[in-house]
Amino acid sequence: MNSFGYKLRYTTFGESHGKAIGCVLDGLPAGLTIDEEYIQSELDRRKPGKSEFETARKEADKVEILSGVFEGKSTGTPIAMIIYNTNQKSKDYSNIKDVFRPGHADFTYFHKYGIRDYRGGGRSSARETAARVAAGAVAKLMIRELGIEVLSGISEVAGIKSETYDFERAKNSIIYALDVNKEEAQKAAILEAKNRHDSVGGVSRVVIKGAPIGLGQPLYYKLDGVLADAMMGLNAVKAVEIGDGCMSAASHGSENNDAIRANGFESNHAGGILGGMSNGEDIILNVYFKPTPSIFQEQHTVTTDNEEVDFSLKGRHDPCVAIRGTVVCEAMAALVIADMLLLNMGSNMEGVRKYYS
């Protein structure tokens, strides 16, 4: 499946070492101002090669809108966007033509389809997420007209956990660090692993502010379920928490319940979602990325003929994929919220009458 969403649906296409990647976003209401500079700025946040904490592959990630926009406004028809690949080094992957890289999708793609694009993983490469960021940027343009904002940052690297969450500051951090007092240690951990030809994992914290009460469609399109689906569909993500997440299992009901007063909730252990629907509080997610599987140490694996071999990887890879991944988390969260907003418009007769009156 290469599509995501219900009312607002996007489909991505392309491979890491193909000519281009891109997306088609369908279901966006007509009349939305499409700020192309903003869309490009979102892609610039995710693009590779900006610092020593990322892959050395340099891509301009220049987005081109092919359809669905006229005189700066969405027309209500599918918006197609394309991003050309300009800096592939396919020869770096010649030594793994018949070898499965540990931790990658090579093994499963080959056994499922009987063929695989070994050049950077092809369709399974995180390169594809640039298209998601382009689609997510359009979704952000839509939801911000309703006063909704999606923020994110890195709360943990290599087990070094943030104690504070400053999302405004994270925007100006080269690794999107949320805690100024932990940033240098987190940077050092990334570079130490990189110098050992290794990698580290990390955690992205995503907060959605301003979402109205009632987003989410029980029982089988719940807001938390769809958000988790969106995040788990990203490369290297191995776990997602809503609110207190795993800690909820170790608490009592008297501790975990969010008491309610006339002016709102007294706490937010639920992470802004109850019964699969938003409750008006901040929606909080923690997204856990595994260490980048592309490392430059000798590893054990097998060939496509199931012969045991030792090999060393070549190429250019992120020592901590969570850094650029947090931008993609934002994009996916925005797409989910925009989709839920459109779904929610006809949830009761009052809304239907208001629209058609």
Side-chain angles (χ1 to χ4, degrees):
M1 301 293 289
N2 298 290
S3 302
F4 189 86
Y6 192 88
K7 290 285 286 185
L8 182 65
R9 190 166 182 83
Y10 79 92
T11 301
T12 69
F13 61 86
E15 295 82 32
S16 175
H17 286 239
K19 186 173 182 179
I21 55 175
C23 66
V24 177
L25 183 64
D26 197 9
L28 188 75
L32 177 68
T33 298
I34 302 299
D35 185 341
E36 294 190 38
E37 289 186 4
Y38 174 75
I39 297 171
Q40 185 61 57
S41 72
E42 288 293 280
L43 282 161
D44 289 346
R45 294 175 61 212
R46 193 222 70 100
K47 73 178 181 181
K50 300 188 301 296
S51 76
E52 60 186 331
F53 303 100
E54 302 169 353
T55 173
R57 177 174 178 173
K58 292 184 181 294
E59 291 281 0
D61 278 359
K62 177 66 176 176
V63 64
E64 181 181 348
I65 298 177
L66 303 178
S67 66
V69 178
F70 180 68
E71 295 183 343
K73 301 281 187 179
S74 60
T75 62
T77 58
I79 296 178
M81 293 180 280
I82 193 167
I83 303 162
Y84 290 99
N85 294 324
T86 61
N87 193 17
Q88 309 100 312
K89 290 188 177 180
S90 299
K91 67 179 186 300
D92 286 346
Y93 297 90
S94 59
N95 70 321
I96 64 161
K97 180 178 181 294
D98 301 309
V99 174
F100 299 128
R101 296 169 296 172
H104 279 271
D106 299 347
F107 183 88
T108 46
Y109 266 65
F110 180 79
H111 284 280
K112 181 178 179 68
Y113 298 109
I115 187 173
R116 87 178 206 270
D117 184 347
Y118 61 85
R119 303 165 305 166
R123 184 74 177 147
S124 68
S125 169
R127 178 82 187 125
E128 179 268 351
T129 62
R132 304 191 197 203
V133 171
V138 177
K140 283 185 177 183
L141 289 172
M142 174 185 155
I143 67 175
R144 77 180 185 186
E145 291 206 4
L146 301 174
I148 304 171
E149 184 179 19
V150 182
L151 302 168
S152 81
I154 295 298
S155 64
E156 183 178 337
V157 169
I160 303 169
K161 298 180 180 182
S162 299
E163 296 178 359
T164 61
Y165 306 113
D166 188 340
F167 291 95
E168 287 304 313
R169 187 196 171 280
K171 295 177 181 179
N172 298 312
S173 166
I174 197 66
I175 64 166
Y176 305 120
L178 288 166
D179 189 339
V180 64
N181 296 315
K182 300 293 183 180
E183 180 171 4
E184 291 308 313
Q186 291 170 342
K187 285 180 178 178
I190 296 170
L191 294 181
E192 191 273 334
K194 180 180 179 180
N195 291 335
R196 289 191 294 105
H197 305 300
D198 211 337
S199 62
V200 295
V203 181
S204 166
R205 188 172 180 88
V206 181
V207 175
I208 303 164
K209 292 182 172 292
I213 298 171
L215 298 185
Q217 302 293 318
L219 288 175
Y220 298 105
Y221 206 63
K222 291 185 175 183
L223 179 56
D224 44 0
V226 179
L227 283 168
D229 184 12
M231 302 304 163
M232 287 296 293
L234 298 179
N235 310 66
V237 171
K238 301 303 289 184
V240 179
E241 291 181 325
I242 309 292
D244 283 0
C246 294
M247 291 190 299
S248 300
S251 65
H252 294 91
S254 56
E255 299 168 317
N256 188 250
N257 288 348
D258 296 310
I260 314 172
R261 307 304 292 172
N263 62 346
F265 291 86
E266 293 184 341
S267 56
N268 192 19
H269 300 295
I273 300 174
L274 290 171
M277 294 176 282
S278 56
N279 65 9
E281 295 292 306
D282 289 350
I283 299 169
I284 301 172
L285 302 90
N286 291 308
V287 184
Y288 292 76
F289 289 83
K290 71 178 183 180
T292 315
S294 295
I295 58 175
F296 303 113
Q297 298 181 11
E298 188 173 85
Q299 300 178 77
H300 304 312
T301 189
V302 295
T303 67
T304 52
D305 294 323
N306 205 37
E307 296 178 355
E308 295 182 354
V309 296
D310 296 339
F311 88 110
S312 296
L313 193 65
K314 299 178 182 179
R316 301 162 295 175
H317 307 285
D318 290 274
C320 180
V321 72
I323 295 173
R324 294 194 296 132
T326 195
V327 180
V328 191
C329 290
E330 275 187 39
M332 295 304 296
L335 284 159
V336 170
I337 294 299
D339 188 32
M340 291 294 185
L341 285 165
L342 295 174
L343 277 167
N344 199 46
M345 289 172 62
S347 60
N348 58 58
M349 281 306 300
E350 181 181 355
V352 175
R353 291 192 192 98
K354 183 177 180 180
Y355 179 80
Y356 284 102
S357 61

